[in-house]
């Protein structure tokens, strides 16, 4: 009996060590695990997390390509450092996707004009990008028309002044050249600028009208928070589209 008691006391510390090692093995992981809402698991290497999605590399695939998953599909995340992030209760079950291409188009009565067809077939995000492009081009055209028209008027006045100053034939030649060539070039470039202004302005207005038909805003302000669970840091991303 005494020998048996001594053996039990001898093995007790060893048992405690094994239990401790087992507990450590359960909390420490070789990689991150993403548990989806359907209970399926993704063995992953997480590179970034935000309040919208998780960027990761799928270690279950040979190429381990970078990809992402939206948090509305995730129940919880098991980090390899032993931490668990529960997201199921704080994320809405469904994410509202942006409208799709052609969603608002009448497929049986599509416009024959290529631009108008591209407008009705584009989704709202694409329309906002188109509007920004044509709006900026119309401003450039209007600015060019004003600048070159002003140059035409200035060279005409300068040519008249130079031609009427003094009796030198050179003054009259230079003045006449300025009075003729300056306005000619300025008017031509001014007309080109005005034409571009009208063209892009009409296109921007058509895009604006299409967005209003869809009850979609012309401008969008997106604030995207990002969290880094590894470095315990957070960032805010701001994007204004119009």
């Amino acid at each position: 009996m005494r020998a048996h008691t001594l053996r039990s006391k001898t093995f007790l510390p060893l048992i405690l060590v094994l239990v401790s090692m087992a507990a450590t093995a359960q909390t420490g992981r070789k990689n991150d695990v993403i548990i989806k809402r359907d209970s399926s698991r993704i063995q992953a290497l997480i590179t970034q997390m935000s309040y919208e999605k998780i960027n990761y590399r799928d270690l279950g695939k040979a190429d381990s390509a970078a990809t992402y998953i939206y948090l509305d599909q995730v129940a919880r995340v098991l980090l390899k450092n032993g931490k668990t992030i529960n997201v199921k209760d704080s994320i809405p079950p469904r994410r509202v996707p942006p409208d799709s291409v052609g969603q608002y188009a009448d497929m049986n009565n599509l416009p024959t004009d290529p631009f108008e067809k591209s407008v009705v077939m584009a989704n709202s995000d694409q329309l906002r990008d188109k509007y920004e492009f044509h709006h900026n081009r119309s401003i450039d055209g209007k600015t060019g028309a004003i600048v070159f028209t002003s140059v035409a008027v200035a060279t005409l006045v300068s040519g008249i002044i130079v031609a009427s100053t003094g009796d030198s034939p050179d003054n009259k030649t230079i003045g006449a050249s300025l009075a003729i060539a300056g306005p000619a070039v300025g008017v031509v470039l001014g007309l080109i600028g005005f034409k571009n202004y009208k063209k892009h302005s009409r296109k921007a207005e058509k895009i604006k009208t299409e967005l209003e038909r869809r009850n979609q805003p012309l401008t969008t302000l997106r604030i995207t928070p990002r969290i880094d669970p590894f470095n315990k840091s957070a960032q805010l991303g701001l994007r204004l589209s119009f």
Side-chain angles (χ1 to χ4, degrees):
M1 286 294 296
R2 186 175 182 180
H4 177 73
T5 303
L6 288 175
R7 282 196 298 270
S8 299
K9 290 182 179 180
T10 302
F11 286 109
L12 182 59
L14 179 59
I15 294 173
L16 293 176
V17 170
L18 293 175
V19 171
S20 177
M21 291 175 62
T24 302
Q26 289 178 354
T27 56
R29 304 180 181 91
K30 293 182 179 180
N31 49 261
D32 305 309
V33 180
I34 300 173
I35 302 178
K36 299 174 66 175
R37 296 197 180 198
D38 60 3
S39 299
S40 61
R41 296 188 172 215
I42 302 174
Q43 302 296 325
L45 174 61
I46 296 176
T47 56
Q48 188 178 41
M49 292 182 63
S50 70
Y51 288 99
E52 182 184 13
K53 62 184 179 181
I54 301 174
N55 296 328
Y56 68 95
R57 291 185 178 275
D58 191 344
L59 301 182
K61 297 181 179 179
D63 56 358
S64 188
T67 185
Y68 62 88
I69 183 173
Y70 286 102
L71 286 185
D72 59 5
Q73 303 175 34
V74 179
R76 64 183 182 275
V77 179
L78 309 179
L79 299 178
K80 61 183 177 182
N81 59 10
K83 294 182 180 180
T84 299
I85 300 176
N86 293 301
V87 298
K88 183 175 181 179
D89 297 331
S90 59
I91 302 298
R94 288 178 293 177
R95 176 178 53 88
V96 179
D99 50 35
S100 58
V101 173
Q103 178 176 333
Y104 295 92
D106 182 359
M107 295 300 181
N108 296 323
N109 297 285
L110 290 176
T112 55
D113 180 75
F115 174 75
E116 293 182 0
K117 182 178 179 180
S118 70
V119 168
V120 298
M121 289 297 293
N123 65 33
S124 298
D125 287 338
Q126 292 171 334
L127 283 184
R128 280 183 276 268
D129 292 338
K130 284 177 177 288
Y131 177 83
E132 181 180 5
F133 171 78
H134 291 292
H135 178 68
N136 291 340
R137 291 295 299 272
S138 69
I139 293 176
D140 292 340
K142 185 177 182 180
T143 303
I146 294 172
V147 169
F148 288 116
T149 301
S150 301
V151 169
V153 174
T155 53
L156 175 62
V157 173
S158 299
I160 294 173
I161 293 174
V162 171
S164 62
T165 302
D167 298 329
S168 173
D170 293 337
N171 286 358
K172 295 184 181 298
T173 302
I174 295 173
S177 299
L178 285 174
I180 296 173
V185 174
V187 168
V188 170
L189 295 178
L191 288 174
I192 293 174
F194 183 74
K195 182 179 179 181
N196 288 334
Y197 160 70
K198 294 294 290 183
K199 179 180 69 174
H200 291 288
S201 180
R202 284 195 299 267
K203 290 185 176 181
E205 191 61 31
K206 287 182 179 180
I207 296 169
K208 181 179 178 182
T209 302
E210 176 65 18
L211 285 170
E212 290 174 349
R213 184 180 74 86
R214 301 180 183 187
N215 293 321
Q216 288 283 341
L218 186 61
T219 61
T220 57
L221 179 64
R222 299 177 182 177
I223 300 177
T224 306
R226 300 179 183 276
I227 58 173
D228 188 344
F230 312 108
N231 299 323
K232 297 181 179 180
S233 62
Q235 297 177 343
L236 283 177
L238 177 63
R239 182 175 183 262
L240 177 64
S241 300
F242 62 94

